[in-house]
Amino acid sequence: MPSSSETAKIPSLSVLEAQACILDRIAPLDAEEVGLGEALGRALAEEVRANRDLPPYDVSAMDGYAARAADIENAPQTLQVIEDIKAGDTPRLFLQPGQCARIMTGAPLPLGADTIVRAEDTRALENGAVEFTIPVKLATDIRWRGENMREGDIVLQPGEEIAPGTIGVLATVKRSKVKVARRPRVAILSNGDELEALSDPFDPCKIPDANSYALMAQVQALGIEPALLGIARDKPEELADFLKRGLEYDVLLISGGASVGVHDHVRPTLATLGVTMHFWRVTMRPGHPVAFGTLGRALVFCLPGNTVSSMVCFEQLVLPALRRLMGHRRLFRRTIPARLTQAVKSKQGRVEFIRATLSRDATGAYVATPNTMQSSADILSMMCADVLLVAPSGLNGLAAGAIAQAQILEASVWQDTPDTESFT
Amino acid sequence: MPSSSETAKIPSLSVLEAQACILDRIAPLDAEEVGLGEALGRALAEEVRANRDLPPYDVSAMDGYAARAADIENAPQTLQVIEDIKAGDTPRLFLQPGQCARIMTGAPLPLGADTIVRAEDTRALENGAVEFTIPVKLATDIRWRGENMREGDIVLQPGEEIAPGTIGVLATVKRSKVKVARRPRVAILSNGDELEALSDPFDPCKIPDANSYALMAQVQALGIEPALLGIARDKPEELADFLKRGLEYDVLLISGGASVGVHDHVRPTLATLGVTMHFWRVTMRPGHPVAFGTLGRALVFCLPGNTVSSMVCFEQLVLPALRRLMGHRRLFRRTIPARLTQAVKSKQGRVEFIRATLSRDATGAYVATPNTMQSSADILSMMCADVLLVAPSGLNGLAAGAIAQAQILEASVWQDTPDTESFT
């Protein structure tokens, strides 16, 4: 175990420096073509253009009648229905003065018509006549050809995140396949003699390997199916074999064994395999001993052995890296400002990530209640957290009533109520 | 086409009434067992208990030395190292006065030890001796047996959403399989003679079927892989065949053709198939003509033909229904209060959903800028929206500077920056 003078030599970066150090070394992966059904959540790797005008012709925006505005400027006025036009029809007749056509939403305007009158502003009479009860201005409720999209227009740029609306646009321009950035191949390795694998028989003296699975789920939540390499024991040769396999992936996540203790073989073994380490420590809590290295284009993250610390480091450092590899521009979790219901202890000189639950005050503003348990060994408190509150490095703690940024964790993009008050 | 007096008879519900009408008729689907690798995003359908104490014995929370506090109360003090204990080891020796053991984070305390001294508060001497530079209180940096979890404790309740932290807990209690509510089987049907299927050759007079795919992506975003039934043309017999197939699913989503026009066959055909309609209209915009019915346990939603309207109706009415079927307690998208950069037009008597982008003001508070285009035909503006702002039914518009609730859409759970200021 190194003395305090030795550990002092190991460089510590701030969270922001560590993020920059990582992201500066990453570009989006190469593109691949996927079907529309597999494109959600990916980043577009090509420019997409409209292949027709939309609407393709002037259409009615309402169910009602196509008419000549001049005919009904002195409404009430009765006109004769000469045709019935629904979406997908081609109008057959030219509208003459005194005539109108029944028309459905999305149906093409007949020649001669220059306005649409909604059904509710009319009254059907006998013998195919209709009374128009009020005057309607020229060009009312018409959607003009090309109003929503013009043939040849760029409708999507590379880097656009493919959300449901984007899928709608891609289908609109008839793209059944689309180029997106490839997903990174991610390997996960746990490290430690004390660990019991999920498939191992129960041993009361062992610690279950939760990290492999928590990290698996964090990676899955980004739309990536990782490979679980298993548990490397604290033997340098066995560890080297595992690390060699892991370095064949785009990203290798190792939890445990990367501290500065004499028994921690991960970093020396990575060094012998040619991995360049860019930092070994980050001034954050939980998660101080976290390291990042590269071998060619492969990225290696050494995460702490505690599950909570490992998860928090993933959130701050690995998640933005994976999102950038996937070609995304938005790399970070959405945060919301929240008022603290109680004081939070934190230490100047490092950023602390505080597990907390969210609620609303009487005005509808967000308030955050820090979990009672903040031990990095307490996986239950990670599970119960809605958010990670960011306690800045410049302050010694945050007072009750202070505003902190809250990073919205996975399950908390959902809420219990639709905000009933905001609807009424 | 019915006259104004006929349409007046069709009941209109408010959005909140429609949500209640739907949710009151739904219970979570039956449970199924899935592997841990398939459990993310599902709702737990069983109670889960801890299968051991965690930690399983008293362990060190730090890299350092296990010692007897009484030995170092007059520090600086030199003790003899008798053993080296790492995580996974079983200590062999009983600590006597004047002795200490080198210990790693997570390693079990040797008998006789009653406190942990961090490495940085010691100095290694020759001949296996260590100088303790400062006194350390009894029971410092020890994690006690059972402190994080006690054997037999309920650690997860039914209904818990399985997030990465939950996966960590499940792995901790060695659950390689877990019971979750089954996912609903969802079918999607588009309706209309004007529609051109994605696989159809280009026809300048047709409208591409975007709804099937936008709905597909909205369903996929909830972790459900829907079945696309295709496009039903406006022929009652063909439509009936499609609807019969769709009613074999847990949920049938139909877009288009469910208005009150004479050419809209969807609702009469559903009626002949025995579907009970619970509402036909909702006082919302976009999306007024939206209907909900049931046949036994099957749910049927008739959504508007405009892609944007269909998507907005899905967000408000279908999404909470699917989440409840999946067993979730949090049914609604997270909202955040945002200040409007400009006035928003809306009409008293209905809730309007305004597509908008999010940004932050100088204080870090959220501001929302409504998209210039709010036409429900403008799929591009749906794609560009970060949020749907809720304009309440009690007001005629919202003024610039007013606060509205913003529903965070799919791609906007991510943001560009880590909130640099909040870290420093």
Side-chain angles (χ1 to χ4, degrees), chain B residues 94-411:
Chain B
F94 188 104
L95 219 60
Q96 305 291 342
Q99 299 182 334
C100 67
R102 218 173 347 224
I103 195 164
M104 302 297 294
T105 305
L109 250 66
L111 290 172
D114 57 21
T115 200
I116 297 293
V117 183
R118 301 174 184 209
E120 53 264 44
D121 298 330
T122 65
R123 201 162 61 87
L125 306 175
E126 292 184 349
N127 304 322
V130 172
E131 187 189 58
F132 290 77
T133 51
I134 54 166
V136 167
K137 271 191 287 190
L138 197 71
T140 299
D141 286 328
I142 296 172
R143 289 175 47 224
W144 304 102
R145 174 182 180 152
E147 175 180 305
N148 299 125
M149 208 178 269
R150 287 213 161 272
E151 185 183 343
D153 277 0
I154 297 170
V155 291
L156 290 165
Q157 298 279 1
E160 178 85 29
E161 171 150 358
I162 301 180
T166 326
I167 296 280
V169 171
L170 288 166
T172 299
V173 301
K174 301 273 302 243
R175 294 294 303 266
S176 57
K177 289 184 175 180
V178 68
K179 275 192 189 141
V180 297
R182 174 169 77 74
R183 291 189 182 109
R185 292 170 305 113
V186 178
I188 295 170
L189 178 64
S190 280
N191 187 264
D193 280 351
E194 76 279 23
L195 294 182
E196 175 181 293
L198 189 58
S199 56
D200 282 350
F202 180 85
D203 178 341
C205 294
K206 297 262 182 169
I207 307 286
D209 172 26
N211 293 17
S212 285
Y213 296 92
L215 288 170
M216 169 194 76
Q218 288 183 295
V219 172
Q220 286 176 329
L222 302 179
I224 302 165
E225 200 55 50
L228 267 60
L229 301 184
I231 301 169
R233 303 298 168 185
D234 295 335
K235 297 192 195 91
E237 321 73 47
E238 185 182 330
L239 182 61
D241 287 343
F242 271 105
L243 294 178
K244 271 184 219 160
R245 280 177 53 207
L247 288 166
E248 290 168 9
Y249 289 77
D250 297 310
V251 179
L252 171 59
L253 307 180
I254 307 160
S255 70
S259 191
V260 292
V262 280
H263 305 292
D264 290 327
H265 303 300
V266 172
R267 292 190 309 159
T269 312
L270 285 172
T272 64
L273 294 173
V275 173
T276 307
M277 297 311 287
H278 303 292
F279 62 78
W280 297 344
R281 289 176 171 241
V282 176
T283 51
M284 65 188 277
R285 188 188 191 208
H288 186 201
V290 56
F292 167 68
T294 50
L295 174 63
R297 302 191 69 172
L299 313 179
V300 185
F301 292 88
C302 301
L303 305 171
N306 266 334
T307 309
V308 173
S309 309
S310 159
M311 291 185 77
V312 171
C313 286
F314 181 97
E315 287 290 320
Q316 309 309 322
L317 303 175
V318 183
L319 183 150
L322 294 180
R323 296 233 350 132
R324 173 158 287 178
L325 286 169
M326 289 180 79
H328 290 300
R329 289 184 296 223
R330 291 179 161 178
L331 306 182
F332 300 92
R333 278 200 194 280
R334 174 70 57 192
T335 59
I336 47 177
R339 194 168 40 74
L340 295 175
T341 56
Q342 54 196 74
V344 154
K345 278 188 198 164
S346 70
K347 212 162 123 183
Q348 203 165 16
R350 67 186 179 199
V351 176
E352 300 204 20
F353 297 94
I354 314 286
R355 283 152 271 165
T357 52
L358 275 188
S359 52
R360 303 271 198 142
D361 67 13
T363 72
Y366 274 108
V367 292
T369 305
N371 294 8
T372 320
M373 257 302 228
Q374 293 291 340
S375 154
S376 63
D378 190 27
I379 175 70
L380 289 179
S381 81
M382 187 69 188
M383 184 190 78
C384 300
D386 290 324
V387 295
L388 292 177
L389 294 176
V390 183
S393 63
L395 296 177
N396 261 316
L398 290 167
I403 301 285
Q405 293 298 327
Q407 301 177 339
I408 304 177
L409 291 172
E410 211 49 36

Side-chain angles (χ1 to χ4, degrees), chain A residues 76-91:
Chain A
Q77 185 77 38
T78 300
L79 301 178
Q80 205 62 29
V81 181
I82 59 159
E83 196 174 4
D84 208 348
I85 311 166
K86 55 192 174 61
D89 284 352
T90 305

